[in-house]
Amino acid sequence: MSYDVQSIRQQFPILNQKIHGRPLVYLDNAATAQKPIAVIDAISNYYLNYNANVHRGVHTLSQRATDAIEAVREEVRAHINAEESAEIIFTQGITDSINTIAFGMGAVVSKEQNIVITAIEHHSNIVPWQMLCKRTGAELRHLPMNEHGELVLEGIEEIIDENTAMVAFNHISNALGTINPVEAILEHAEKVGAWTLIDGAQSGPHAKVDVRAWNVDFFTLSSHKMYGPTGLGVLYGKREKLEVLPPFQGGGEMIATVTLEESTYAGLPHKFEAGTPHIEGIIGFGAALKYINEIGIKAIAAHEKKLLKYSTVECSKIDGFKVIGDSKNKASVLSFIVDGTHPYDIGVLLDQQGVAVRTGQHCTQPIMDAFCIDGTVRASFAMYNTKKEIDLFKAALEKSITMLR
Amino acid sequence: MSYDVQSIRQQFPILNQKIHGRPLVYLDNAATAQKPIAVIDAISNYYLNYNANVHRGVHTLSQRATDAIEAVREEVRAHINAEESAEIIFTQGITDSINTIAFGMGAVVSKEQNIVITAIEHHSNIVPWQMLCKRTGAELRHLPMNEHGELVLEGIEEIIDENTAMVAFNHISNALGTINPVEAILEHAEKVGAWTLIDGAQSGPHAKVDVRAWNVDFFTLSSHKMYGPTGLGVLYGKREKLEVLPPFQGGGEMIATVTLEESTYAGLPHKFEAGTPHIEGIIGFGAALKYINEIGIKAIAAHEKKLLKYSTVECSKIDGFKVIGDSKNKASVLSFIVDGTHPYDIGVLLDQQGVAVRTGQHCTQPIMDAFCIDGTVRASFAMYNTKKEIDLFKAALEKSITMLR
Amino acid sequence: MTTIKQRQEELVKEFEFFDEWMDKYHHIIEMGKSLNALPEQKKNDNLLVQGCQSKVWLHAEKSGENILFQADADAIIAKGIIAMLIDVFNNQPAKEVAVANLGFIEEIGLKDHLSPTRANGLMSMIKQMKFYALALTD
Amino acid sequence: MTTIKQRQEELVKEFEFFDEWMDKYHHIIEMGKSLNALPEQKKNDNLLVQGCQSKVWLHAEKSGENILFQADADAIIAKGIIAMLIDVFNNQPAKEVAVANLGFIEEIGLKDHLSPTRANGLMSMIKQMKFYALALTD
Ligand SMILES: Cc1ncc(COP(=O)(O)O)c(C=O)c1O
Ligand SMILES: Cc1ncc(COP(=O)(O)O)c(C=O)c1O
């Protein structure tokens, strides 16, 4: 079956609007994706029919809500091929997931050890580790990148060594689109017995993930980047690893027993799910996963790859256009600067023409520093974008440049 | 204008359904409240029209979304009468809010100090402080309660003393309904210079709150208990206090600058809002606040007070019925046991008759231990409950008891 | 002597008699009430079945090839459910208990009708009974 | 000599000429381009206006009773906006700049049309100019 982008677009009513009198061309998908009707309906349906607090409730609505979120937990497990659904923890998002692990590792990391990240991480996969290193005295290291925005693995043995407690890196860079050599890095980490965490912010919407094939210890997703609701994330962790970490937050149902003097913690996944969960978000995310699987993540990735290639080739014809991050192995992100213009000005003028892009540092200041730039313009693609939209984008970009020069 | 409960009920379509063939009587409001159409529509409307990631986005949708959440921040500020909207932080919920403060206080509390809670707290206002005390060596104390489930203030000077770093307590007990003597406790805390935090889980839906009149340092709410979406909470903190606390989570927009070596943090409220916020939740919560204010929190409280009184009087006629927590000053919660029955069995049989209540410990195990019971049955009321529902509840309760004895 | 299969058939028939779930619950409760209580001193924590929302104590011993169960619970519905299971399994050959197929649960609609937590509790009870039976099979 | 008020009126007239916001932006950009750049050595961090998304440097000095502004920005739209403000305020009595009412922003529709962050930036620029004016008023 061929990829029917028009019928997909019909599932995203938000796309069908005008901005400053021009049709919206939404190319800010790496920041957040739009939601299909199925997700919006799942949310309404929940609140119209079976909203209740979950777990421990004996009444029917509470049972329905509990069943619904536990079913999603199982779907997430299957989606990323985890071993058991108790290894799937619902969080607020990737930032929350990574902080949970970085906090917990405070109990197991010593000052002789080091944490390894990379030069192309999102702030959410930098700052929590800096905080951990500050608390424990451990050293923060990083794998460097080259001028294509690719990680450099030569010398990796010097960086990831027997004192490495954790190697944490993203699968796909949100600022550059680079697809990182996950297997090679994991292999080095495994060799020295380091724990591993993959930030899957940009994997979720664009790539097939199999945590057991990777044999990664922790993996994390944000619902809102995967066509699901805001305020929800997933933290996958191997049971044996999650069990040795202390919980990040206390309260609610994450305990087994509480006296005013002390508490004992509940088992997985509850130990890491303090407080009333984001029930609606979990249910909406279930609908988003289902929708992604209906279209097929491989079909989506193939479609986006075509858009990326077409936009790169077309825009490269523009005088002074320069791609930032030109790895051969890229997904869905076209980050660029244009000689003699400021990204910010381009963003404003594209918006005036209906085209939504992100400008700036994309929460990856170290990358920008390395390229010695203030920021880029980033066009990022999703399942519903079209070749025609790329044409509109390119035309709007050319017009903006003419005005700015 | 008189309180028109029927027209309110029309705004909550979920109430109009049958459970096991009987009309639903939803009395589990202290766990979570149902959502009016206005909230459900606000969510759909967001995803259908202006979903985008917020802050730093130059494009129109991002601006609309940013405007919308910042407008809600201002509405929350006004609602609780905070001084400035930068003191309003959006969190995952009360549990997250309290953990944020308890974690941050790790930087300012010493082992000579103590933390004071009360005997009638939710686990979410116990466990984070236990964790803080474990980290810092500080002592955890509590104000005791009497057989009515009221806090005992005699001897408070011995408990809250000059070494008290924090006094944290709930305004209204979720398990007993007791309205605590907020002013008297705050006065003692202020006298010795202790910081103060009020858990407003049950204030939000049932009471007027004025943080400046109280002069409390921290105050917190959960959206889902206030007719708003799940996954969202509010943490209010005085600027001067929030500024000395380190952030709980790192990443996203909570930083000013990041290099691979170190980061500096952004100002309030962003310092405490790492990661993509729960944009949809904030917008939905704005709609919920607006709805509450339309009806009027005082009118709601008065209505619920009538229901509480009526249900207490009526149910007390049942042989062996015993209220747990019979403070003179109570809101919206009827917690009880019935001689010769287990709360759990009552819960199951009420559910068979369409009545949704919560049974068990209500995340307040120390209260149950103090009363030497395993748990209670809890009926809790909201703006949309009716006298007729209390009659149905009472009849169902009587039938259940007959079956069980 | 009736077999495990026959006892299940009888139970299914008993429940077919009731149209309403309230009546079925009534019947479960009556079964709970007529189950001989465990003496207090026997209710030790070792006998607690893990995974039930209320407390369920289960004791097993061998009598020849057969297995004898005794149980109690603090909530009467749980007690009724364990009473049903005892009704099916009690004084049956241990090795048959260990492998028994419990179709009656489906037929009565018990599992569908229980909440997930209670259904978990039911599964935990069955698991524990089969576990004892296995342990007591030579 | 034109007053602050007159200069605003002229600006409003200039902008009325354009129907489309793209054209208005074009005009803002042209104003940015024709603003004399600050020499590189003058662009020090002390002159940065806080609260703008792009970098805006603003320098002020006194000339008799009047105040003279120089500015630059790394993004051209920000530069155009500061150019407009300089157009209105430059070489005006410091004490009038300090209290001036800037109705033209409303009339052009600038504030409504800018994003919240950019509108904040605009407000920051105005605040900084008035702050200098106040500091330079005897
Ligand atoms: C008094 C009280 N505190 C704290 C909480 C925890 O709220 P949440 O689960 O929304 O974090 C609740 C809700 O159960 C509560 O009633
Ligand atoms: C690579 C990467 N990591 C982490 C994040 C943070 O995700 P969230 O803001 O949902 O916590 C993002 C999203 O901006 C991202 O692209």
Side-chain angles (χ1 to χ4, degrees):
Chain A
M1 205 196 71
S2 80
Y3 191 84
D4 184 356
V5 69
Q6 288 311 329
S7 81
I8 290 173
R9 289 179 73 81
Q10 280 164 22
Q11 299 303 310
F12 294 84
I14 193 174
L15 298 175
N16 189 21
Q17 69 175 292
K18 300 224 156 144
I19 299 290
H20 302 303
R22 310 288 188 88
L24 167 65
V25 175
Y26 185 78
L27 301 180
D28 192 17
N29 295 289
T32 205
Q34 299 303 340
K35 320 305 171 198
I37 291 172
V39 168
I40 303 171
D41 283 353
I43 296 171
S44 301
N45 182 37
Y46 169 64
Y47 285 134
L48 289 171
N49 293 297
Y50 62 104
N51 170 60
N53 213 322
V54 292
H55 307 305
R56 315 231 170 152
V58 294
H59 62 81
T60 301
L61 295 186
S62 175
Q63 291 159 31
R64 282 189 204 154
T66 305
D67 281 355
I69 71 167
E70 294 307 323
V72 176
R73 203 189 294 279
E74 169 54 26
E75 280 154 29
V76 174
R77 185 209 61 72
H79 191 78
I80 64 171
N81 193 29
E83 191 161 331
E84 42 164 336
S85 62
E87 293 174 327
I88 304 299
I89 290 156
F90 291 116
T91 66
Q92 260 186 98
I94 286 178
T95 306
D96 189 29
S97 302
I98 297 177
N99 277 280
T100 299
I101 299 306
F103 173 85
M105 286 191 74
V108 299
V109 168
S110 70
K111 71 174 193 299
E112 289 73 30
Q113 291 186 292
N114 62 69
I115 306 289
V116 178
I117 58 174
T118 85
I120 58 174
E121 298 306 317
H122 187 279
H123 295 166
S124 295
N125 198 30
I126 301 175
V127 186
W129 305 113
Q130 289 178 338
M131 291 163 71
L132 170 65
C133 288
K134 211 163 177 181
R135 273 198 302 277
T136 57
E139 180 194 352
L140 187 63
R141 300 177 173 183
H142 66 271
L143 297 175
M145 70 161 185
N146 64 21
E147 71 277 16
H148 303 292
E150 295 167 326
L151 292 179
V152 177
L153 297 193
E154 278 128 57
I156 192 170
E157 308 80 12
E158 265 102 87
I159 298 166
I160 300 177
D161 63 20
E162 67 280 9
N163 292 320
T164 301
M166 168 61 94
V167 181
F169 59 101
N170 58 27
H171 178 191
I172 301 173
S173 159
N174 66 306
L176 306 174
T178 316
I179 303 176
N180 289 317
V182 173
E183 285 87 356
I185 300 172
L186 290 175
E187 192 187 304
H188 280 279
E190 212 170 307
K191 217 179 284 170
V192 297
W195 291 15
T196 51
L197 177 146
I198 291 179
D199 169 353
Q202 306 296 335
S203 331
H206 306 300
K208 175 104 196 72
V209 167
D210 183 329
V211 294
R212 270 194 285 177
W214 276 343
N215 194 27
V216 68
D217 293 316
F218 303 100
F219 177 77
T220 169
L221 295 169
S222 276
S223 155
H224 71 95
K225 300 205 193 264
M226 296 174 70
Y227 312 99
T230 58
L232 186 81
V234 166
L235 168 60
Y236 158 79
K238 279 188 196 159
R239 175 182 277 280
E240 72 207 64
K241 299 280 159 41
L242 287 174
E243 272 176 355
V244 302
L245 296 181
F248 186 35
Q249 301 213 3
E253 302 288 2
M254 57 70 75
I255 48 79
T257 60
V258 176
T259 67
L260 288 168
E261 287 70 38
E262 64 175 345
S263 306
T264 58
Y265 301 130
L268 295 176
H270 306 292
K271 177 173 130 186
F272 291 101
E273 291 181 353
T276 301
H278 183 6
I279 306 165
E280 169 228 305
I282 298 171
I283 288 166
F285 182 54
L289 270 188
K290 196 163 160 230
Y291 188 74
I292 289 176
N293 289 333
E294 262 165 40
I295 314 286
I297 192 76
K298 284 191 183 151
I300 295 169
H303 172 72
E304 291 166 347
K305 197 164 190 153
K306 272 186 218 155
L307 295 178
L308 177 61
K309 191 166 169 200
Y310 180 65
S311 59
T312 307
V313 169
E314 283 305 305
C315 292
S316 296
K317 294 175 188 164
I318 298 172
D319 179 43
F321 181 94
K322 185 160 173 250
V323 175
I324 300 296
D326 57 350
S327 168
K328 278 167 301 291
N329 209 0
K330 272 184 69 170
S332 218
V333 167
L334 180 65
S335 221
F336 62 91
I337 55 176
V338 180
D339 285 349
T341 69
H342 193 282
Y344 184 68
D345 291 326
I346 300 244
V348 171
L349 295 179
L350 286 178
D351 179 57
Q352 288 296 325
Q353 299 170 82
V355 180
V357 296
R358 180 130 309 205
T359 63
Q361 307 183 325
H362 320 298
C363 290
T364 58
Q365 199 179 323
I367 302 184
M368 301 303 137
D369 292 350
F371 279 104
C372 297
I373 53 181
D374 275 345
T376 72
V377 181
R378 181 186 70 186
S380 53
F381 312 114
M383 61 157 90
Y384 40 66
N385 289 121
T386 64
K387 194 159 159 290
K388 192 177 138 227
E389 287 183 308
I390 307 278
D391 293 334
L392 288 172
F393 157 62
K394 188 195 168 196
L397 178 60
E398 285 178 314
K399 174 150 189 192
S400 309
I401 295 169
T402 311
M403 280 172 70
L404 290 169
R405 277 203 188 131
Chain B
M1 202 197 74
S2 80
Y3 190 86
D4 184 356
V5 69
Q6 288 312 327
S7 81
I8 290 174
R9 288 178 73 81
Q10 280 165 20
Q11 299 303 311
F12 293 85
I14 193 173
L15 298 175
N16 189 22
Q17 69 175 293
K18 299 221 157 147
I19 299 290
H20 302 304
R22 309 288 188 89
L24 167 65
V25 176
Y26 185 77
L27 300 179
D28 192 17
N29 295 289
T32 205
Q34 299 304 338
K35 320 306 171 198
I37 291 171
V39 169
I40 304 171
D41 283 352
I43 296 172
S44 301
N45 182 38
Y46 168 64
Y47 285 134
L48 290 171
N49 292 297
Y50 61 104
N51 170 60
N53 213 324
V54 293
H55 307 306
R56 314 225 172 156
V58 294
H59 61 82
T60 300
L61 294 186
S62 174
Q63 291 160 32
R64 282 190 204 153
T66 305
D67 281 354
I69 71 167
E70 293 307 323
V72 175
R73 203 190 295 278
E74 169 54 27
E75 280 154 29
V76 174
R77 185 209 61 73
H79 191 78
I80 64 171
N81 192 30
E83 191 161 329
E84 43 165 335
S85 62
E87 294 175 326
I88 305 298
I89 290 155
F90 291 117
T91 65
Q92 258 185 102
I94 287 179
T95 306
D96 188 29
S97 301
I98 297 177
N99 277 281
T100 299
I101 299 306
F103 173 84
M105 287 191 74
V108 298
V109 168
S110 68
K111 71 175 192 298
E112 290 73 29
Q113 291 187 292
N114 63 68
I115 305 289
V116 178
I117 58 173
T118 85
I120 59 173
E121 298 305 318
H122 187 279
H123 294 165
S124 295
N125 198 30
I126 302 175
V127 186
W129 305 114
Q130 290 178 338
M131 289 163 72
L132 170 65
C133 288
K134 211 163 175 184
R135 272 198 301 276
T136 57
E139 181 193 351
L140 188 63
R141 300 177 174 182
H142 65 271
L143 298 174
M145 70 161 185
N146 65 21
E147 70 276 19
H148 302 293
E150 294 166 327
L151 292 179
V152 177
L153 298 193
E154 279 129 56
I156 192 171
E157 307 81 10
E158 264 101 87
I159 297 167
I160 300 178
D161 63 20
E162 68 280 10
N163 292 320
T164 301
M166 169 61 95
V167 182
F169 58 101
N170 57 27
H171 178 191
I172 301 173
S173 158
N174 67 307
L176 306 173
T178 315
I179 302 177
N180 289 318
V182 173
E183 284 86 356
I185 301 172
L186 289 175
E187 193 187 302
H188 280 278
E190 212 169 307
K191 216 179 285 170
V192 298
W195 291 15
T196 51
L197 177 145
I198 292 179
D199 169 353
Q202 306 296 332
S203 330
H206 306 302
K208 176 103 197 71
V209 167
D210 183 328
V211 294
R212 271 193 286 176
W214 276 343
N215 193 25
V216 69
D217 294 316
F218 303 100
F219 177 75
T220 168
L221 296 168
S222 277
S223 156
H224 71 95
K225 303 207 192 264
M226 296 174 71
Y227 311 101
T230 58
L232 186 81
V234 166
L235 169 60
Y236 157 79
K238 280 188 195 158
R239 175 180 277 281
E240 70 206 67
K241 299 282 160 39
L242 287 174
E243 272 176 353
V244 302
L245 296 181
F248 186 35
Q249 302 213 1
E253 302 288 3
M254 57 71 74
I255 48 79
T257 60
V258 177
T259 67
L260 288 169
E261 287 70 39
E262 64 176 346
S263 307
T264 59
Y265 301 131
L268 296 177
H270 306 292
K271 177 173 132 186
F272 290 101
E273 291 181 351
T276 300
H278 184 6
I279 306 164
E280 170 229 303
I282 298 172
I283 288 166
F285 182 54
L289 269 188
K290 194 161 161 233
Y291 188 74
I292 289 176
N293 289 332
E294 262 166 41
I295 314 286
I297 191 79
K298 283 189 183 156
I300 295 169
H303 172 73
E304 292 166 346
K305 196 162 190 156
K306 274 186 216 154
L307 296 177
L308 177 60
K309 191 167 168 198
Y310 180 66
S311 60
T312 308
V313 169
E314 284 303 304
C315 292
S316 296
K317 294 175 186 164
I318 298 172
D319 180 43
F321 181 93
K322 188 160 171 251
V323 175
I324 300 295
D326 57 349
S327 168
K328 277 166 303 291
N329 208 1
K330 272 185 67 171
S332 218
V333 167
L334 180 65
S335 221
F336 63 91
I337 54 175
V338 180
D339 286 349
T341 69
H342 193 283
Y344 183 68
D345 291 327
I346 301 243
V348 171
L349 295 180
L350 286 178
D351 178 58
Q352 288 296 323
Q353 300 170 81
V355 180
V357 296
R358 181 131 308 206
T359 64
Q361 308 182 324
H362 319 299
C363 290
T364 57
Q365 200 179 325
I367 302 184
M368 302 302 136
D369 292 350
F371 279 105
C372 298
I373 53 181
D374 275 344
T376 72
V377 182
R378 181 185 71 185
S380 53
F381 311 115
M383 62 158 88
Y384 39 67
N385 290 121
T386 65
K387 194 159 159 290
K388 193 179 137 221
E389 287 184 307
I390 307 278
D391 293 334
L392 288 173
F393 158 61
K394 187 195 168 194
L397 178 60
E398 284 178 312
K399 174 150 187 190
S400 309
I401 296 170
T402 313
M403 281 171 70
L404 290 169
R405 278 206 185 125
Chain C
M1 246 223 40
T2 51
T3 63
I4 292 179
K5 188 146 176 285
Q6 287 166 331
R7 290 196 189 169
Q8 292 190 53
E9 281 161 10
E10 280 163 25
L11 265 175
V12 171
K13 253 188 232 132
E14 267 173 58
F15 274 89
E16 265 170 7
F17 185 76
F18 308 110
D19 290 332
E20 295 249 334
W21 260 94
M22 270 306 261
D23 298 324
K24 296 188 191 185
Y25 267 107
H26 189 243
H27 191 60
I28 293 172
I29 290 166
E30 293 309 314
M31 293 180 80
K33 286 181 188 167
S34 43
L35 182 69
N36 285 331
L38 266 186
E40 272 314 312
Q41 75 273 19
K42 269 202 172 173
K43 286 189 195 169
N44 74 56
D45 286 0
N46 295 334
L47 297 188
L48 279 177
V49 179
Q50 300 298 320
C52 297
Q53 236 193 353
S54 46
K55 285 185 181 162
V56 177
W57 296 267
L58 180 67
H59 178 265
E61 62 188 55
K62 210 144 182 214
S63 152
E65 287 304 297
N66 287 6
I67 184 162
L68 298 177
F69 288 107
Q70 280 184 294
D72 208 342
D74 62 350
I76 193 74
I77 293 171
K79 195 165 167 183
I81 291 171
I82 193 84
M84 285 169 67
L85 293 173
I86 290 184
D87 190 49
V88 172
F89 281 147
N90 203 33
N91 210 3
Q92 293 288 347
K95 65 172 194 287
E96 282 177 29
V97 169
V99 299
N101 194 339
L102 291 183
F104 82 103
I105 291 168
E106 284 287 319
E107 285 186 63
I108 293 177
L110 200 57
K111 206 175 142 194
D112 289 345
H113 210 78
L114 295 179
S115 69
T117 31
R118 276 177 286 159
N120 278 344
L122 171 64
M123 289 302 125
S124 302
M125 293 180 206
I126 295 171
K127 222 165 113 184
Q128 189 62 27
M129 291 175 106
K130 291 191 166 190
F131 178 80
Y132 277 134
L134 210 61
L136 297 177
T137 307
D138 338 74
Chain D
M1 242 218 49
T2 51
T3 62
I4 293 180
K5 190 150 175 286
Q6 286 165 332
R7 290 196 188 168
Q8 292 190 51
E9 280 160 10
E10 279 163 25
L11 266 176
V12 171
K13 251 187 234 133
E14 266 174 59
F15 274 89
E16 265 169 8
F17 184 78
F18 308 110
D19 291 333
E20 293 248 335
W21 260 94
M22 268 308 262
D23 298 324
K24 297 188 190 187
Y25 267 106
H26 189 244
H27 192 59
I28 293 172
I29 290 166
E30 292 309 315
M31 293 181 82
K33 286 182 188 166
S34 42
L35 182 70
N36 284 331
L38 266 185
E40 274 311 312
Q41 75 272 21
K42 269 202 173 174
K43 287 190 194 168
N44 74 57
D45 285 1
N46 296 333
L47 297 188
L48 278 177
V49 180
Q50 298 298 320
C52 297
Q53 236 193 356
S54 48
K55 284 188 181 159
V56 177
W57 296 266
L58 180 67
H59 179 265
E61 64 188 51
K62 221 162 170 196
S63 153
E65 288 304 296
N66 288 6
I67 185 163
L68 298 176
F69 288 107
Q70 280 184 292
D72 208 341
D74 62 350
I76 193 75
I77 292 171
K79 196 164 169 185
I81 290 172
I82 192 86
M84 285 169 69
L85 293 172
I86 289 184
D87 191 48
V88 172
F89 280 147
N90 204 34
N91 210 2
Q92 293 288 346
K95 66 173 193 288
E96 281 177 30
V97 169
V99 299
N101 194 338
L102 292 182
F104 82 103
I105 291 169
E106 284 288 318
E107 283 184 65
I108 293 177
L110 200 56
K111 205 174 145 192
D112 289 347
H113 210 79
L114 294 179
S115 70
T117 31
R118 276 176 288 161
N120 279 343
L122 171 63
M123 290 301 124
S124 302
M125 292 179 206
I126 295 171
K127 223 166 111 185
Q128 189 62 28
M129 291 176 107
K130 292 191 165 193
F131 178 80
Y132 278 134
L134 209 61
L136 296 177
T137 306
D138 336 77

